[in-house]
Amino acid sequence: MESQYLKQCLGDCLKKGLTEVVEHRPADPIEYLAHWIYRYRRNLDEGEKRMLERAELEQEREAALAELEIIRKREEEERLIQQKLEEQRQAELEQERQKAELEQERQKAELEQEREKLELQSEEDNVQLQQEDQKEDEKTVPELTDRPGTPDLTKAEEEPDQSEQVSSKTDLTAEAEESSEQT
């Protein structure tokens, strides 16, 4: 039982320490072995401390990697959201542009219709004026002289052109002579 205890607690330490004493062959092997066992214990404590530090560092590294992964996912989500927002904004701009084009086309159509209406009205007015002018031209001399303030033109007809004026003057002169002879 005691040997079991010694093997368990000091077995490895004593094997390594005695191996060191045999290799170095110090002048005072007991003191050398005592210092070596003391350093061995310090080395074991430092080794455990290093293992704990490594474990903590590994945990911190894993936590940092997890945090980086979360940040990467957030950035990816943010990028996707920004992309969707940009697509929506582009779609809205496209819709507004199309609406503006449709409105512009509608206004052009309205202007064209208005222009056509004005042209038709202008043509109708021209036709009506021509008809009035034609009616005015068709009026007889008595109709023209019936208006108040117009001279009495019962004997004169509408102004003839130059060749007709000469013949009508001679006709009037001949008529005047005949009427004077008759009286």
Side-chain angles (χ1 to χ4, degrees):
M1 188 147 112
E2 292 176 10
S3 64
Q4 185 71 20
Y5 171 75
L6 288 175
K7 276 185 183 179
Q8 191 178 22
C9 294
L10 299 174
D12 195 34
C13 175
L14 283 177
K15 278 184 201 176
K16 291 178 182 178
L18 291 174
T19 306
E20 285 287 321
V21 169
V22 171
E23 282 180 16
H24 293 284
R25 295 189 187 264
D28 188 4
I30 294 172
E31 189 177 332
Y32 183 83
L33 183 61
H35 283 295
W36 189 90
I37 290 172
Y38 182 70
R39 280 188 310 229
Y40 180 79
R41 178 68 188 159
R42 206 178 329 155
N43 288 341
L44 281 179
D45 289 343
E46 286 179 12
E48 287 178 13
K49 194 175 182 180
R50 280 189 214 123
M51 284 180 55
L52 289 173
E53 287 175 356
R54 282 185 192 143
E56 286 178 16
L57 286 174
E58 186 62 29
Q59 287 175 349
E60 288 176 6
R61 186 177 77 77
E62 288 175 4
L65 287 175
E67 189 174 332
L68 283 174
E69 184 65 22
I70 290 170
I71 290 171
R72 187 191 63 77
K73 285 181 181 179
R74 284 183 184 163
E75 288 175 349
E76 181 67 22
E77 288 174 356
E78 186 175 317
R79 187 185 61 78
L80 289 173
I81 289 170
Q82 289 294 334
Q83 186 178 10
K84 286 180 182 178
L85 288 175
E86 182 65 25
E87 288 173 359
Q88 284 178 340
R89 190 174 67 82
Q90 290 294 334
E92 288 172 358
L93 288 174
E94 182 64 24
Q95 286 177 348
E96 288 177 13
R97 186 186 62 77
Q98 288 176 351
K99 284 180 183 178
E101 287 178 357
L102 288 174
E103 181 64 24
Q104 191 176 21
E105 289 177 11
R106 186 188 61 78
Q107 287 176 351
K108 281 182 181 179
E110 286 178 358
L111 287 174
E112 185 64 25
Q113 288 176 348
E114 187 68 28
R115 186 183 62 79
E116 289 174 1
K117 280 182 184 178
L118 289 174
E119 285 178 357
L120 284 173
Q121 187 176 5
S122 174
E123 288 177 16
E124 289 173 359
D125 289 347
N126 285 341
V127 168
Q128 187 177 5
L129 285 174
Q130 286 176 354
Q131 287 175 351
E132 287 176 6
D133 286 346
Q134 194 175 18
K135 284 181 183 176
E136 191 71 29
D137 289 344
E138 290 175 357
K139 287 185 179 178
T140 61
V141 173
E143 289 175 341
L144 292 173
T145 56
D146 285 348
R147 294 183 188 160
T150 57
D152 187 19
L153 299 175
T154 53
K155 294 187 179 179
E157 293 181 10
E158 295 179 6
E159 277 188 36
D161 58 348
Q162 293 291 353
S163 62
E164 290 180 1
Q165 279 184 346
V166 173
S167 65
S168 66
K169 281 185 182 179
T170 55
D171 289 343
L172 285 176
T173 315
E175 283 181 20
E177 288 177 2
E178 280 181 20
S179 63
S180 61
E181 285 178 8
Q182 289 177 358
T183 51

